[in-house]
Structures are given as structure tokens and as C-alpha cells.
Amino acid sequence: MGRVENELKGKRFFQLQLNIGVEQIRVVHRDGRVITLSHQEQELQDFLLSQMSQHQVHAVQQLAKVMGWHVLSFSNHVGLGSVESIGNASAITVASSNGEYRFSVCNGPESGCKVLVQFPRSQSKELPKSDVIQEWKWNHL
């Protein structure tokens, strides 16, 4: 874990500038995007939930890079699945360095985190049956 901690130390996943005024809150993103919020508690809460959701997927992306895995796809604005009423769902798909293993993480402010894992077909046939997994098709989730 030492290498991972050293690689992530000092990394800024999000850099925001908050300008809190009398009538509104202005958020300036690192890339120059500007969001204007009112002082309503729910609006600020929704914004923070959306930022946390994106942050979690960015953390997976950074960890995958440190571990030598390949990022196959990444999106802060997923267009599939249920529509989030606040913010957007973010998703990432990564593959192991040899390409045998893949996993996808989708995280939304409301829907939470979903993780899908793909094992090599040759290995999944070798997995023993258990009380939980009764049919071989479930080994491919």
C-alpha cells in the first residue's frame, strides 16, 4: 500500500473556488465552469452530493492508474440507466494490465454505487459451486 499512498499523496481530485455573496453562491471549477447556487440548503446539499459521487469515480480512476490497470472508459455524465434527479451519475470501466479482468463502477448521487466484475471465462468455470451461486451463469457478473 505504500506505493499507492505515495502516488495519491498531494493529488487534487477536484479544485473548486466558492464565492459566497449576499444573494448567491458562485462555484468556479478548475476547468472554468461556473455554477450559480442560491442560499437554499437543498440546492447546496444536492451540489455537494453530486461532487462526492464524481469524486468517488475519480478516486477509482487514480487508483487504477497507480495499480497499472487500463482505463477503458470514463464519463462524468452517464447517459444510461435511471435518470438522477440531482446531478449526474459517473462511471468508469477498467481492465487489468493483462486484460483478463475488468470491472465497472457507476456512482450516482441518488442511486449510489454499483460495481460489476468480469472474470476470465476459463477461471470462472473452475470456481466451485456454493450455497449462494447455484448456476454457472452467475459467475460472470
Side-chain angles (χ1 to χ4, degrees):
M1 278 307 272
R3 183 177 74 130
V4 172
E5 290 171 356
N6 288 337
E7 290 287 328
L8 293 177
K9 191 182 287 185
K11 297 272 184 183
R12 290 185 185 179
F13 293 105
F14 292 100
Q15 189 174 22
L16 300 172
Q17 177 184 356
L18 288 176
N19 298 319
I20 301 173
V22 175
E23 295 183 20
Q24 64 186 13
I25 300 171
R26 212 173 113 211
V27 181
V28 181
H29 285 264
R30 182 176 171 183
D31 62 3
R33 290 179 294 141
V34 177
I35 297 173
T36 303
L37 305 171
S38 69
H39 286 288
Q40 292 182 5
E41 182 181 337
Q42 188 62 49
E43 192 173 351
L44 185 56
Q45 182 180 0
D46 292 350
F47 173 75
L48 292 174
L49 284 171
S50 180
Q51 290 299 303
M52 289 184 332
S53 174
Q54 287 183 8
H55 172 74
Q56 290 171 342
V57 173
H58 280 280
V60 171
Q61 179 185 34
Q62 293 301 319
L63 183 60
K65 288 179 180 179
V66 168
M67 300 302 291
W69 286 48
H70 306 286
V71 176
L72 301 178
S73 76
F74 178 86
S75 176
N76 271 330
H77 307 287
V78 177
L80 297 173
S82 60
V83 176
E84 302 280 333
S85 67
I86 56 171
N88 294 302
S90 301
I92 186 169
T93 301
V94 298
S96 62
S97 56
N98 62 7
E100 288 187 7
Y101 299 91
R102 291 184 186 96
F103 72 88
S104 294
V105 176
C106 183
N107 198 354
E110 284 184 313
S111 59
C113 187
K114 296 174 190 151
V115 179
L116 301 169
V117 179
Q118 181 182 11
F119 295 98
R121 294 207 184 267
S122 60
Q123 181 184 359
S124 63
K125 290 178 183 174
E126 298 170 6
L127 292 173
K129 279 196 169 188
S130 70
D131 293 336
V132 177
I133 300 175
Q134 296 294 321
E135 297 180 51
W136 68 271
K137 66 182 179 181
W138 299 115
N139 289 328
H140 297 292
L141 293 177

